[in-house]
Amino acid sequence: MDWQTSEDTVPSAPITEADARLLRGRPPATGAWRDGDPVGHRSFGAFGPLATESGEQLPSFRLAYETWGELSPQRDNAVLVLHALTGDSHLRGEAGPGHPTAGWWEDIVGPGLAIDTDRWFVVAPNMLGGCQGSTGPSSISSDGYEWAARFPYLTIRDQVAAQVRLADALGVEVWAAVVGGSMGGMHALEWGVGHPERLERLAILAAPPVNTADQIALNSVQLEAIRIDPRFQDGEYYDAADGEGPHRGLALARRMALLNYRSPTELNLRFQRTWQSGKSPLGLGGRFAVESYLDFHGNKFTRRFDANSYITLVEAMNSHDVGRDRGGIEDALARVTARTLVLGIDSDRLFPVEGQHRIARGIRSTIDDAAVVISSDFGHDAFLIETPVVGAHLRRLLEG
């Protein structure tokens, strides 16, 4: 789910005083990129109406995206990389004007790396409904106000339909590969099932074939944490002053989510029962170090994300069922024709490896007999952290 930001691509670590000082200012009402902010390395695709599965329609939309490498004259070397829930288009590059975080997959995408930009033309869009340049709840609608809670309900299929429009605009009829992890893996799987003629290779990393009742339940408490924040104001908070937005609810949702992204093994080894300071947490007002870790990253998150977008995207994740209206999961998976890598993580408690094995069993064109399962203490986020092993498997896919 989370996740693709620089802070998620390193092991957990205790929070220092220097870290804490970074967040002493009041957070803005929204951490969304807004028109007038520095563009950074983004490009934009503008499109006409989009009819959503719910029956609502976006009268127009845009997708922010970034590219690396050069598209070949034959247009046969394009690779689509799809981010996870709270990621964005910034695959590689430093944090700076327009980009609140450094690139989230710099050890995977670049010259000479697993997704080699000397060979491949890499495209990374910010998904529809996001808040880093693509149309979402923080965008201005035709009446001159933010969409806010009026933004249409989106499904994974709606978001992929928007990506198809981007591919058409770029002149990419067939992707050499579509690669995605976590929520991006849901998009990648949907590409493989819904548009098999438009991709040659497919990589599904740490993603399930369907969002289960357990996963929907975990999501529901995060969304409620946002909605019960009095400053959420039913989604109408964009004019609030710094410090007066729904940052407490959004930070709490993020802290809840983080517990699913990392494994018990990592948290226990990293923090044990250490204290954050010399003050005891045993009734004397101190805190355990792991509490400060969660608080810091929850609070940091509010400075780069939007509460309404979080709700929109989590609800889109809840829609994910690759077998819906297709005769069930196995019938849907049988539609995939691309050469496919399916990868799971043995310590992933968000999307356990049983889901990846089911995907691999159902796709007849996998490069292995079953899902590749990597061993890691880092839980779900291992697909961002264990870059040497993840990169090696992506090389196998792309070189074949």
Side-chain angles (χ1 to χ4, degrees), residues 191-212:
W191 268 96
V193 171
H195 307 277
E197 75 287 354
R198 298 203 63 168
L199 64 158
E200 295 177 342
R201 302 172 184 84
L202 176 63
I204 302 160
L205 314 178
V210 58
N211 229 38
T212 65

Side-chain angles (χ1 to χ4, degrees), residues 133-165:
S134 293
T135 297
S138 61
S139 303
I140 303 299
S141 69
S142 58
D143 62 8
Y145 295 93
E146 291 85 357
W147 277 99
R150 299 176 296 153
F151 195 75
Y153 177 90
L154 296 179
T155 66
I156 295 294
R157 296 181 194 179
D158 293 329
Q159 293 168 325
V160 169
Q163 294 162 10
V164 169
R165 300 272 286 275

Side-chain angles (χ1 to χ4, degrees), residues 13-252:
I15 301 306
T16 67
E17 280 301 311
D19 293 329
R21 284 196 295 271
L22 294 174
L23 302 185
R24 284 186 178 161
R26 293 185 173 188
T30 177
W33 184 92
R34 312 293 292 276
D35 285 318
D37 289 344
V39 170
H41 298 288
R42 294 175 181 83
S43 296
F44 297 94
F47 306 96
L50 178 71
T52 69
E53 283 199 281
S54 69
E56 298 179 88
Q57 179 167 283
L58 273 173
S60 63
F61 71 96
R62 74 178 177 197
L63 291 183
Y65 65 96
E66 295 179 51
T67 66
W68 298 263
E70 298 292 334
L71 184 61
S72 68
Q74 298 79 20
R75 298 180 179 271
D76 61 355
N77 70 329
V79 174
L80 181 65
V81 178
L82 301 166
H83 69 76
L85 172 66
T86 61
D88 57 27
S89 63
H90 202 47
L91 271 178
R92 56 179 292 112
E94 296 181 354
H99 299 292
T101 57
W104 51 264
W105 233 11
E106 290 203 290
D107 292 336
I108 294 288
V109 178
L113 298 178
I115 304 179
D116 185 353
T117 52
D118 289 333
R119 175 184 179 187
W120 304 109
F121 174 63
V122 177
V123 180
N126 181 218
M127 73 178 74
L128 184 66
C131 63
Q132 287 298 320
S134 293
T135 297
S138 61
S139 303
I140 303 299
S141 69
S142 58
D143 62 8
Y145 295 93
E146 291 85 357
W147 277 99
R150 299 176 296 153
F151 195 75
Y153 177 90
L154 296 179
T155 66
I156 295 294
R157 296 181 194 179
D158 293 329
Q159 293 168 325
V160 169
Q163 294 162 10
V164 169
R165 300 272 286 275
L166 176 62
D168 293 342
L170 293 172
V172 177
E173 293 185 5
V174 178
W175 295 103
V178 175
V179 179
S182 193
M183 187 176 182
M186 298 177 186
H187 291 135
L189 181 57
E190 190 62 39
W191 268 96
V193 171
H195 307 277
E197 75 287 354
R198 298 203 63 168
L199 64 158
E200 295 177 342
R201 302 172 184 84
L202 176 63
I204 302 160
L205 314 178
V210 58
N211 229 38
T212 65
D214 177 60
Q215 290 148 4
I216 292 169
L218 293 170
N219 288 341
S220 71
V221 293
Q222 295 173 43
L223 300 191
E224 187 64 12
I226 295 171
R227 290 177 171 135
I228 65 174
D229 185 330
R231 292 172 173 167
F232 180 63
Q233 300 182 64
D234 295 322
E236 301 291 341
Y237 53 80
Y238 291 105
D239 292 332
D242 287 357
E244 298 300 318
H247 56 276
R248 293 187 68 182
L250 182 57
L252 179 56

Side-chain angles (χ1 to χ4, degrees), residues 296-311:
F296 174 81
H297 286 292
N299 292 333
K300 187 176 180 183
F301 180 65
T302 65
R303 288 160 165 79
R304 68 168 184 86
F305 217 76
D306 178 68
N308 279 320
S309 264
Y310 195 88
I311 291 172

